[in-house]
Amino acid sequence: MKKFSSLAIWALVAASALPGCVASKKYDDLKARQASTEQARADIERQQRQAVTELKKTTDELAQMRLQNRRLIDDSTETGRNLRRTRQLNTQLTDSYDKLLKNSDRTIADKNADYNKIAKDLARREAELGELDTNLKKSRADIDKLTADLTAREARLAELQKALAQKDKAVNDLRASVSNALRGFKGTDLEVKMKDGKVYVSLSEQLLFKTGSTKVDPKGQEALKQLAAALQNQPDVNVVVEGHTDNVAFTRPTAAMQDNWDLSVLRATEIARLLTTGGVQPQRVTASGRSQYVPVAANDTPANKALNRRTEIILTPKLDELFKILDTNSSSGQ
């Protein structure tokens, strides 16, 4: 461009040197060409700038395309790796699926076997539950029956306790009555005591009999008379007369009395007779002899032998009401 401008200047100078209109025409031509040249130069510069711009744009696009290409290459490489990993994973998943499928079939078979076992156990337990329910209902019925029986037994027990209390009161009252009737005879010859729910009136031989005799002395008869009077007011009392001896054998047995058995029985019979004569109903009286076989002391001294030679009158309140209750309980228990 600089070279082209120098030529134009030289052309102008040469034109100024020409004379006349020739020089003017040439000048105009030169000027027109110069203007054309300037226009061409401007067009060229504009085209050049446009070409530079387009070149820069193309260069940028090329760089961008190269960048995208590299990215695509990188993406393709990564995609390839991912594809290979995916294929490997797919192979592994396929193998796992096949194994799971096989295991699933085996598991399903095992589960079916377990289910069948559980179903059988459930059926058995339901049967057991039904049996337990039946037993429970039966047990409840038994409990209800036992409760009713217990209530009835408690009622009978209360009745029995009441009867026993009445019996104990009757025995105590009887002992008090007998003790009061025989208060003039108390001492070593007569003793009133309670034992096993009964009243025992123990009379010594010295009070009642002479040695070897079966006849009651007057003092003894008076005591028996007082006792009979007291028993008349006790119609519900049974009387047992027991004769006792020591162990001394008879030296001269008789036809009526061979040994201590006969002596104990005859003395008991005599006392029973005196009690009934005194007003005690005969059906309430029992006479028995125990001979020497129920001693209260060892037969080793005269004093102990004297203790064994005795008559015991055992007074027992009638226990009809008590026996009735016991019989009712026994029948209920069966």
Side-chain angles (χ1 to χ4, degrees):
M1 294 295 292
K2 290 180 178 181
K3 184 178 181 181
F4 181 78
S5 298
S6 296
L7 289 176
I9 292 172
W10 279 110
L12 291 174
V13 172
S16 61
L18 293 177
C21 60
V22 173
S24 176
K25 182 178 179 182
K26 288 182 179 180
Y27 173 77
D28 291 336
D29 290 338
L30 287 173
K31 189 175 181 178
R33 281 189 292 181
Q34 183 182 5
S36 176
T37 300
E38 289 293 333
Q39 181 65 38
R41 185 180 62 83
D43 290 340
I44 291 171
E45 288 179 353
R46 180 178 54 78
Q47 290 176 357
Q48 184 181 8
R49 287 194 301 274
Q50 185 177 359
V52 170
T53 301
E54 289 180 354
L55 178 61
K56 185 177 183 303
K57 181 179 177 183
T58 301
T59 301
D60 292 340
E61 289 178 353
L62 180 60
Q64 185 69 27
M65 289 179 67
R66 286 176 178 173
L67 179 61
Q68 290 179 354
N69 185 52
R70 283 197 299 272
R71 287 178 179 173
L72 287 173
I73 292 172
D74 293 340
D75 290 345
S76 177
T77 302
E78 182 66 23
T79 301
R81 285 197 297 268
N82 291 336
L83 178 61
R84 286 191 296 274
R85 284 199 299 269
T86 302
R87 286 176 177 173
Q88 183 179 5
L89 181 60
N90 182 60
T91 301
Q92 293 175 353
L93 289 174
T94 302
D95 293 341
S96 299
Y97 175 77
D98 292 337
K99 291 180 181 179
L100 287 174
L101 188 61
K102 293 179 181 178
N103 292 333
S104 176
D105 293 339
R106 188 163 52 249
T107 302
I108 291 173
D110 293 340
K111 292 296 182 182
N112 286 335
D114 292 341
Y115 173 77
N116 292 331
K117 181 180 178 182
I118 292 172
K120 290 180 181 179
D121 290 342
L122 182 60
R124 179 176 57 81
R125 290 181 182 275
E126 287 178 348
E128 291 176 353
L129 182 61
E131 184 177 356
L132 288 175
D133 185 60
T134 301
N135 292 335
L136 178 61
K137 290 179 180 178
K138 184 177 181 298
S139 297
R140 285 177 178 171
D142 292 340
I143 290 173
D144 292 340
K145 183 178 182 300
L146 287 174
T147 302
D149 290 344
L150 180 60
T151 302
R153 287 177 182 271
E154 288 176 347
R156 288 193 293 270
L157 178 61
E159 190 178 358
L160 179 61
Q161 289 174 338
K162 180 179 178 181
L164 287 172
Q166 291 175 347
K167 174 255 183 184
D168 291 340
K169 182 178 184 303
V171 172
N172 284 317
D173 291 346
L174 176 61
R175 183 187 62 80
S177 176
V178 171
S179 296
N180 185 58
L182 299 176
R183 62 181 180 275
F185 299 94
K186 288 184 178 180
T188 58
D189 294 335
L190 186 148
E191 181 183 10
V192 180
K193 62 182 179 180
M194 288 181 60
K195 185 174 70 173
D196 300 330
K198 302 174 184 179
V199 177
Y200 282 74
V201 181
S202 183
L203 304 167
S204 68
E205 180 192 49
Q206 184 178 351
L207 177 62
L208 297 175
F209 303 102
K210 291 183 173 60
T211 303
S213 173
T214 61
K215 297 298 180 182
V216 179
D217 289 343
K219 186 177 181 181
Q221 291 182 15
E222 183 61 26
L224 294 173
K225 182 179 178 181
Q226 296 293 333
L227 178 59
L231 292 177
Q232 279 184 320
N233 298 324
Q234 303 285 343
D236 293 329
V237 175
N238 290 323
V239 181
V240 176
V241 182
E242 287 187 352
H244 299 266
T245 68
D246 58 21
N247 65 346
V248 178
F250 274 45
T251 56
R252 290 178 293 179
T254 65
M257 192 162 47
Q258 297 291 316
D259 53 23
N260 285 330
W261 278 116
D262 288 338
L263 179 61
S264 65
V265 171
L266 291 173
R267 284 180 171 179
T269 303
E270 178 67 13
I271 292 174
R273 187 177 294 112
L274 289 173
L275 290 174
T276 57
T277 301
V280 180
Q281 295 175 327
Q283 60 267 30
R284 295 165 51 197
V285 182
T286 300
S288 64
R290 307 297 296 272
S291 186
Q292 66 197 40
Y293 301 107
V294 190
V296 293
N299 286 293
D300 53 359
T301 64
N304 285 344
K305 289 181 180 181
L307 291 175
N308 290 330
R309 295 191 300 271
R310 71 197 187 280
T311 299
E312 290 185 340
I313 300 174
I314 305 170
L315 308 177
T316 307
K318 291 182 180 180
L319 304 177
D320 295 344
E321 188 65 27
L322 184 61
F323 290 146
K324 186 186 300 182
I325 296 172
L326 291 175
D327 287 342
T328 302
N329 289 341
S330 177
S331 299
S332 300
Q334 294 175 354

